[in-house]
Amino acid sequence: MSHVRTLKGSCLCGAVSLQLETDKHDIGACHCNMCRTWGGGPLLALESVSQIQIQGEEHISRYASSDWAERAFCRHCGTHLYYRLKDQPHYAIPAGLVDQGEDWVFDSQIFIDEKPAWYHFANDTRNMTGKEVFEAFTKEQDHS
């Protein structure tokens, strides 16, 4: 049985705040080159966000990192706020932005084929290459 949780978070300077709902406790890691360049390491994020409310939109800068997605950050303090698919209601929210001691389950890693050899997570996770991620996304699109 799912339990919807409402989580809140804000950027370092407090100019932007988020409130989101999620019904899962899962955290995923993305090892793609863009995520690692964006944050200096893998992106650890909530992928199962069902609703999001943002306050302080005027303080957000967005960067179109690809034809299909954008990344947002606070233009004052630089806090990463989300990765979003442009044509779908899909947000990946950095776990640290809303983590207040939740009982997260680290269960997936994507773009595992782009992960550098110098770090490893000990958790037993579902691992997908970049190709597998795009194939799964295409299947989802076909069934929508």
Side-chain angles (χ1 to χ4, degrees), residues 87-102:
D87 63 349
Q88 291 191 29
H90 175 85
Y91 286 82
I93 307 295
L97 190 62
V98 297
D99 184 15
Q100 296 156 357
E102 280 78 4

Side-chain angles (χ1 to χ4, degrees), residues 17-46:
S17 61
L18 303 174
Q19 179 173 305
L20 56 100
E21 289 184 3
T22 181
D23 63 352
K24 295 183 180 177
H25 303 202
D26 55 330
I27 297 289
C30 181
H31 302 283
C32 80
N33 186 53
M34 278 193 269
C35 280
R36 288 184 294 109
T37 299
W38 190 39
L43 174 63
L44 300 173
L46 288 81

Side-chain angles (χ1 to χ4, degrees), residues 3-126:
H3 171 63
V4 176
R5 291 198 260 187
T6 301
L7 303 170
K8 296 179 181 180
S10 65
C11 64
L12 288 171
C13 71
V16 180
S17 61
L18 303 174
Q19 179 173 305
L20 56 100
E21 289 184 3
T22 181
D23 63 352
K24 295 183 180 177
H25 303 202
D26 55 330
I27 297 289
C30 181
H31 302 283
C32 80
N33 186 53
M34 278 193 269
C35 280
R36 288 184 294 109
T37 299
W38 190 39
L43 174 63
L44 300 173
L46 288 81
E47 296 281 345
S48 55
V49 175
S50 56
Q51 290 191 31
I52 186 168
Q53 296 174 359
I54 301 171
Q55 298 208 335
E57 287 267 358
E58 67 275 15
H59 304 291
I60 296 176
S61 288
R62 291 171 182 81
Y63 173 68
S65 56
S66 66
D67 291 339
W68 61 87
E70 69 181 9
R71 297 164 191 268
F73 56 94
C74 173
R75 72 177 65 185
H76 302 292
C77 65
T79 299
H80 298 172
L81 301 169
Y82 59 80
Y83 167 91
R84 181 183 80 83
L85 295 177
K86 292 178 182 178
D87 63 349
Q88 291 191 29
H90 175 85
Y91 286 82
I93 307 295
L97 190 62
V98 297
D99 184 15
Q100 296 156 357
E102 280 78 4
D103 55 343
W104 303 122
V105 176
F106 177 42
D107 67 353
S108 65
Q109 298 182 63
I110 61 173
F111 289 89
I112 198 73
D113 52 324
E114 294 185 31
K115 184 187 80 56
W118 54 265
Y119 70 81
H120 299 281
F121 292 121
N123 303 62
D124 184 21
T125 61
R126 187 180 98 201

